[in-house]
């Protein structure tokens, strides 16, 4: 449940930053690193803590989607910076 709340919070921040990607460019690496650490934790939880595999895989898929979103935001920010 805590991971779900954390993912929701990161999603809200990412959506907020998506309005003006160039202005919130510094958020993207923070989001990516947070997701990377959470993904490693999920793999650990599945492997050693007996977390339900379906729950772990679901959160790993969510992490992947957030990585894709971060890439799109990074590209959009670069385009905004070039346009200025």
């Amino acid at each position: 449940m805590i991971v779900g709340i954390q993912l929701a919070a990161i999603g809200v921040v990412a959506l907020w930053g998506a309005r003006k990607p160039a202005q919130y460019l510094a958020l993207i690496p923070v989001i990516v690193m947070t997701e990377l650490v959470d993904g490693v934790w999920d793999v650990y939880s599945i492997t050693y803590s007996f977390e339900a595999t379906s729950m772990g895989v679901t959160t790993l898929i969510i992490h992947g989607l957030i990585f894709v979103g971060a890439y799109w935001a990074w590209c959009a920010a670069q385009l905004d910076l070039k346009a200025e």
Side-chain angles (χ1 to χ4, degrees), residues 5 9-10 23-25 28 35 49 54 57 63 69 71 74 84:
I5 293 169
I10 289 171
Q23 185 176 353
Y24 296 99
L25 189 62
I28 297 171
E35 293 303 312
S49 295
S54 60
V57 171
H63 295 313
Y71 175 74
W74 187 267
E84 290 179 355

Side-chain angles (χ1 to χ4, degrees), residues 1 12 15 33 47-48 50 58 61-62 64 66 69 73 78-80:
M1 183 166 184
V12 168
L15 287 172
M33 291 306 295
T47 307
Y48 298 109
F50 307 109
T58 300
I61 290 169
I62 293 168
I66 293 172
Q78 298 306 316
L79 289 174
D80 281 353

Side-chain angles (χ1 to χ4, degrees), residues 4-31:
I5 293 169
Q6 183 179 11
L7 288 173
I10 289 171
V12 168
V13 169
L15 287 172
W16 181 20
R19 294 179 297 152
K20 296 180 182 178
Q23 185 176 353
Y24 296 99
L25 189 62
L27 290 175
I28 297 171
V30 173
I31 291 169

